[in-house]
Amino acid sequence: MSVLTIERKVLEKNDIIAAANRKLLQSHNLYSINLVSSPGSGKTSLVERTIAACQNKIRIGVIEGDIQTDLDARRVDALGVAVVQIVTHGACHLEAALIGDSLKQLDLPHLELLIIENVGNLVCPSGYDLGENVKVVVVSTTEGDDKPLKYPAMFRNASALIINKIDLLPYLNSSVDDMEKNALSINPALRVFRTSCTSGEGIEEWCEWLQSQISKK
Amino acid sequence: MSVLTIERKVLEKNDIIAAANRKLLQSHNLYSINLVSSPGSGKTSLVERTIAACQNKIRIGVIEGDIQTDLDARRVDALGVAVVQIVTHGACHLEAALIGDSLKQLDLPHLELLIIENVGNLVCPSGYDLGENVKVVVVSTTEGDDKPLKYPAMFRNASALIINKIDLLPYLNSSVDDMEKNALSINPALRVFRTSCTSGEGIEEWCEWLQSQISKK
């Protein structure tokens, strides 16, 4: 039995549980996104901004994935939104079974949007279906415009791209146009947003898109 | 046979090859660092700055690890330094066997410092010994001061910490003092440097430390 065989079995088992999660979420007419990025791209700030902008229009629940600490869940909890913290204790990505357990802690019939914030890792979470409707990859301008070329799997598997921290562009040698072009060369179907969670720029457009996706369901 | 057993065997095999790499490097009196960080923290810029600052004093070789592309190796090659590019084709970290193969491509007796730039991933590379003298973790100010608490393994396993992009501090809500304090709470023995690869601040101190480590060997 080779390591590759084991890995395939782990992914197959994950896919079965992800399908069950998807069925459960669909039965509650609940739209879900899996937010993925490097550490420090601004996923939690984006979750905070999204809640602030949409809370009166959309009923939101959040699952926070972290290797250690419940710092992110506390930030979300402070905004009065239902949140479950998953601590992976070293594991580099969320798996469907962890999401399945977390869904039991949420009042699903009451929710319209579930935001899953994955562990900060631009590589490993790309291969793990959690049962979400779409993966949304966040990349910050400070990471450099070559990142889509260097970490293509995440951009290939996502439906939307958020280029965050555009407020810092005047101080960087990095081009947001090149970053977008590089991402679209990997996945031309990506819906791209440019945001700043500091200034709030672009958040409205992102929230309108979320609302349109929820209405479409 | 469980997945955990397989993982342990993979790590055991890696450790054996890492020990052989270490022996080979020591036999050439060659000091080596394993640069680890999130994507976009500035590892390659740091390599470029280090080469520019030390090239006349230290004979440097570089191994670049990337999931895709040889963009980084081209940047290093442009500076006239011997460089080997490893493309992992999806794998989220470097392993000792890849370094062993790369060492065959370098003129080891001629070198004093080997810089290994790992895949951008603040999680997975922490568990893989490559045979290096020390791991050096790079974190950029833009990633937020809580990162050492959220990704502790990398900070625990490193000997030095480079807090990069300090030129951006005036535009951030993040505290470099808190970042350092959080890192030292995980690993009090960390040697900390604050750098900007844009302005060059802190690079001299970092290079002096490298030189002192090479002399100590």
Side-chain angles (χ1 to χ4, degrees):
Chain A
M1 191 185 284
S2 73
V3 174
L4 274 178
T5 311
I6 290 276
E7 189 177 299
R8 206 181 61 221
K9 283 200 179 165
V10 168
L11 284 172
E12 274 170 12
K13 196 179 160 195
N14 183 74
D15 283 348
I16 291 166
I17 303 172
N21 291 347
R22 186 166 283 116
K23 205 171 158 187
L24 177 64
L25 292 167
Q26 280 174 348
S27 74
H28 290 289
N29 209 23
L30 180 45
Y31 188 76
S32 58
I33 64 171
N34 178 1
L35 269 187
V36 289
S37 84
S38 303
S41 299
K43 290 190 298 305
T44 314
S45 298
L46 181 75
V47 171
E48 290 173 320
R49 278 283 187 182
T50 306
I51 291 169
C54 302
Q55 203 165 10
N56 296 332
K57 302 171 202 156
I58 310 171
R59 292 188 301 275
I60 303 174
V62 176
I63 297 175
E64 287 290 342
D66 279 294
I67 289 178
Q68 289 295 342
T69 81
D70 61 355
L71 295 172
D72 289 354
R74 287 190 208 189
R75 288 169 61 180
V76 172
D77 182 60
L79 300 171
V81 163
V83 57
V84 178
Q85 174 79 55
I86 299 172
V87 177
T88 68
H89 294 293
C92 56
H93 59 272
L94 292 179
E95 297 192 9
L98 293 167
I99 299 303
D101 288 344
S102 304
L103 292 179
K104 294 176 193 155
Q105 315 295 321
L106 290 166
D107 181 14
L108 302 182
H110 175 75
L111 300 176
E112 292 169 299
L113 171 66
L114 175 68
I115 304 176
I116 303 167
E117 183 182 339
N118 218 308
V119 170
N121 184 326
L122 202 54
V123 188
C124 312
S126 72
Y128 287 82
D129 183 10
L130 305 179
E132 74 275 2
N133 285 88
V134 291
K135 278 192 178 69
V136 176
V137 58
V138 184
V139 65
S140 72
T141 55
T142 59
E143 293 168 49
D145 45 45
D146 58 351
K147 290 306 161 293
L149 303 177
K150 293 174 73 180
Y151 301 86
M154 199 67 98
F155 293 83
R156 200 175 293 126
N157 295 342
S159 301
L161 162 65
I162 292 177
I163 302 179
N164 194 29
K165 306 193 188 178
I166 56 167
D167 54 295
L168 295 175
L169 279 169
Y171 317 111
L172 305 175
N173 297 322
S174 148
S175 156
V176 69
D177 290 331
D178 285 353
M179 185 180 267
E180 179 166 334
K181 197 177 68 183
N182 288 336
L184 292 173
S185 78
I186 301 293
N187 179 358
L190 275 174
R191 178 73 164 88
V192 185
F193 301 90
R194 297 180 180 192
T195 63
S196 163
C197 292
T198 302
S199 72
E201 200 178 334
I203 298 296
E204 202 179 313
E205 192 190 346
W206 155 246
C207 288
E208 279 168 11
W209 182 78
L210 275 180
Q211 279 193 283
S212 72
Q213 295 300 105
I214 292 167
S215 311
K216 257 197 236 166
K217 272 198 337 295
Chain B
M1 191 186 285
S2 73
V3 175
L4 274 177
T5 311
I6 291 277
E7 190 176 299
R8 206 181 60 221
K9 282 199 178 165
V10 168
L11 285 172
E12 274 170 13
K13 196 178 160 194
N14 183 75
D15 283 347
I16 291 167
I17 303 172
N21 291 347
R22 185 165 284 118
K23 205 171 158 185
L24 177 64
L25 292 167
Q26 280 172 349
S27 75
H28 291 289
N29 208 23
L30 181 46
Y31 187 76
S32 58
I33 64 171
N34 178 1
L35 269 187
V36 288
S37 84
S38 304
S41 299
K43 290 190 299 304
T44 313
S45 298
L46 181 76
V47 171
E48 290 173 321
R49 278 282 186 181
T50 306
I51 290 169
C54 302
Q55 202 165 10
N56 295 332
K57 302 169 202 159
I58 310 171
R59 291 188 303 274
I60 303 175
V62 177
I63 297 175
E64 286 291 341
D66 279 293
I67 290 178
Q68 289 296 342
T69 82
D70 62 354
L71 296 171
D72 289 353
R74 288 189 207 188
R75 287 168 62 179
V76 172
D77 182 62
L79 300 171
V81 162
V83 58
V84 177
Q85 174 79 53
I86 299 172
V87 178
T88 69
H89 295 293
C92 56
H93 60 271
L94 292 179
E95 297 192 11
L98 293 167
I99 300 303
D101 288 344
S102 304
L103 292 179
K104 293 176 195 157
Q105 314 295 322
L106 290 166
D107 180 14
L108 301 182
H110 176 75
L111 300 176
E112 293 169 299
L113 170 65
L114 174 67
I115 304 176
I116 303 167
E117 183 183 337
N118 218 309
V119 170
N121 185 327
L122 202 54
V123 187
C124 312
S126 70
Y128 287 82
D129 183 12
L130 305 179
E132 74 273 5
N133 286 87
V134 291
K135 278 192 177 68
V136 176
V137 58
V138 184
V139 66
S140 71
T141 55
T142 58
E143 293 169 49
D145 45 46
D146 58 352
K147 290 306 160 296
L149 303 178
K150 293 175 72 179
Y151 302 86
M154 200 66 101
F155 294 83
R156 199 175 293 127
N157 294 342
S159 301
L161 162 65
I162 293 178
I163 302 179
N164 194 29
K165 306 194 189 179
I166 55 169
D167 54 295
L168 295 176
L169 279 169
Y171 318 111
L172 305 176
N173 298 321
S174 148
S175 157
V176 68
D177 291 330
D178 285 352
M179 185 179 268
E180 180 166 333
K181 198 177 68 182
N182 288 335
L184 292 173
S185 77
I186 302 292
N187 180 358
L190 275 174
R191 178 74 164 87
V192 184
F193 301 90
R194 298 180 179 192
T195 62
S196 163
C197 292
T198 303
S199 72
E201 200 178 334
I203 297 296
E204 201 179 315
E205 191 190 347
W206 155 246
C207 287
E208 279 168 11
W209 182 79
L210 274 180
Q211 279 193 284
S212 72
Q213 296 300 105
I214 293 167
S215 311
K216 258 196 236 166
K217 274 196 338 295

